[in-house]
Amino acid sequence: MSGRVIKFGFITMLAITLTAICVMFPALTASGARSGLILCGNIVIPSLFPFCVLALFCEKSGIIATVSKFLAPISSKIFHLSGEKFCVLIISCLAGYPVGSRMIRSLYDGGNITEAEAKRMSLYCINAGPAFILTAVGEGILGNGKMGRILFVANIIATLTIAVIAEARHSPTSNSKKLNRLSAGDAFVTATADASRAIFGICGWVILFSALLSLLNCGIMPTSIIALLSTFLEVTTAIIGANRNPLLISAILSFCGLCVHCQVYSILKQAAPKYGIFLVFRAIHAAISVGITYLFIKSDNTVLSVISNNVSARRQNISFTYASAIALILLCFLLVISVSERKKDKLM
């Protein structure tokens, strides 16, 4: 029996099983879907949509390509990245998980990066944003703002390290292709429409996985198996169930869960890397992030109480803060000073 037949049979059985569970437990399914809708309304759309529109507008209007030359020496020598790729890296660090992937897709569709470049970029342009880590995780779940900052810094350092690893053997080359720039009005309309479609797809995945996570509580599986599956399925639920352990939370933020993986692959499609390679880099990212988090904790005794504190985690919606406003302004600044270059490499 071929591997393709086995794979098809497994997927078929899984689909039939999930369908049967949905029919048997319609109330759980509906409850999970409602929770997903609330999560989209309170966190996903407010924290991702403005960043996505802004990033796509700057790319489509040609602002990035026009002002990007100032960072060319820094991005190419330190990270072996062209300006536009470095810009996407910064966006992924500030905006949140799927926005970086959406920018990669936009650059790829516009012919500004090759398929091989898009595949490499997807290995490191996937991060939780500061709004989620600092506000929801640090202040809300852990109740410790300093721990949130440690997790965010560890995530960023791990991301930059992965970028250097992925691009170490590749040298950036200039992209002499003339970009098709839209007028400000057309760029804004196009960026808003594209961002809306992207956010709609993201919310669909969030609602689906929220329903699946709700079905895990139908009583069929042991609690330990449910906790393990939750860790690998969806970030927010996994973090809430991490018993306030910052090292485990750091790993969860880096791995980012199957829900985010599906979002990334649904956006990138043929520009996505092999899933096995993607998982290896997610594991490397998690190991680096956990190691850095541990070193920060050991060097600062004021955050050690977070590990031993067994107070139950609590949810907190993301709302406007001055920190998020500053992050948005910084994103605008970084977007307009990145570099537009292109290179041709072998497919990953």
Side-chain angles (χ1 to χ4, degrees):
M1 185 179 294
S2 66
R4 181 175 296 181
V5 174
I6 296 175
K7 181 180 179 180
F8 177 78
F10 173 77
I11 293 176
T12 302
M13 290 301 299
L14 180 62
I16 293 174
T17 302
L18 290 176
T19 302
I21 295 176
C22 287
V23 173
M24 295 170 59
F25 304 96
L28 278 177
T29 305
S31 176
R34 281 193 296 269
S35 298
L37 283 169
I38 294 173
L39 181 62
C40 289
N42 289 340
I43 296 179
V44 176
I45 296 175
S47 62
L48 293 182
F49 184 70
F51 283 99
C52 196
V53 173
L54 178 62
L56 291 175
F57 171 78
C58 290
E59 188 269 329
K60 294 178 181 298
S61 63
I63 296 177
I64 294 175
T66 301
V67 197
S68 60
K69 59 182 179 180
F70 298 105
L71 283 183
I74 299 176
S75 63
S76 60
K77 290 181 180 179
I78 298 179
F79 299 102
H80 296 275
L81 293 171
S82 65
E84 286 187 335
K85 291 163 69 176
F86 185 70
C87 171
V88 173
L89 173 60
I90 297 301
I91 291 172
S92 69
C93 292
L94 294 179
Y97 290 119
V99 177
S101 299
R102 187 63 189 84
M103 284 295 294
I104 294 172
R105 182 71 200 188
S106 180
L107 293 178
Y108 174 72
D109 289 342
N112 299 313
I113 58 175
T114 65
E115 184 175 325
E117 288 177 305
K119 290 180 176 180
R120 289 201 306 275
M121 291 173 66
S122 65
L123 300 177
Y124 53 83
C125 292
I126 173 172
N127 307 274
F132 180 70
I133 298 179
L134 299 178
T135 306
V137 178
E139 298 289 347
I141 296 176
L142 294 176
N144 188 306
K146 180 176 288 186
M147 191 67 246
R149 291 190 291 272
I150 288 176
L151 290 171
F152 179 68
V153 172
N155 194 309
I156 297 300
I157 294 176
T159 296
L160 297 178
T161 304
I162 292 295
V164 172
I165 294 174
E167 301 287 350
R169 298 182 180 180
H170 306 274
S171 300
T173 58
S174 292
N175 180 13
S176 58
K177 179 181 177 179
K178 185 177 180 180
L179 300 176
N180 294 322
R181 304 178 182 181
L182 302 177
S183 64
D186 290 340
F188 179 74
V189 171
T190 304
T192 303
D194 289 351
S196 299
R197 286 190 290 268
I199 294 298
F200 183 81
I202 292 168
C203 290
W205 286 111
V206 172
I207 295 170
L208 173 62
F209 274 84
S210 180
L212 292 177
L213 285 170
S214 180
L215 290 175
L216 293 179
N217 297 314
C218 63
I220 297 178
M221 291 183 293
T223 305
S224 58
I225 300 298
I226 294 176
L228 180 62
L229 290 176
S230 299
T231 301
F232 290 98
L233 288 179
E234 203 276 322
V235 175
T236 306
T237 303
I239 290 176
I240 292 175
N243 198 27
R244 298 168 60 86
N245 186 325
L247 299 182
L248 179 57
I249 291 175
S250 182
I252 293 171
L253 287 170
S254 296
F255 184 75
C256 65
L258 186 59
C259 181
V260 175
H261 296 184
C262 290
Q263 295 172 28
V264 170
Y265 275 74
S266 67
I267 293 172
L268 293 177
K269 297 179 181 177
Q270 73 270 20
K274 293 181 178 179
Y275 190 59
I277 297 176
F278 183 81
L279 287 179
V280 169
F281 272 82
R282 286 294 90 207
I284 296 174
H285 192 288
I288 296 173
S289 182
V290 169
I292 295 172
T293 301
Y294 177 78
L295 292 176
F296 275 127
I297 292 175
K298 293 294 290 185
S299 64
D300 191 346
N301 293 327
T302 61
V303 300
L304 290 177
S305 59
V306 178
I307 300 179
S308 59
N309 193 337
N310 293 321
V311 179
S312 60
R314 59 185 183 276
R315 293 179 181 265
Q316 176 169 316
N317 295 335
I318 294 178
S319 58
F320 172 81
T321 63
Y322 288 107
S324 62
I326 294 173
L328 180 60
I329 295 173
L330 179 61
L331 174 64
C332 299
F333 174 75
L334 290 171
L335 279 170
V336 298
I337 59 175
S338 60
V339 182
S340 174
E341 296 180 1
R342 182 182 181 182
K343 64 183 180 181
K344 295 182 180 180
D345 301 311
K346 295 181 180 181
L347 295 178
M348 183 173 295

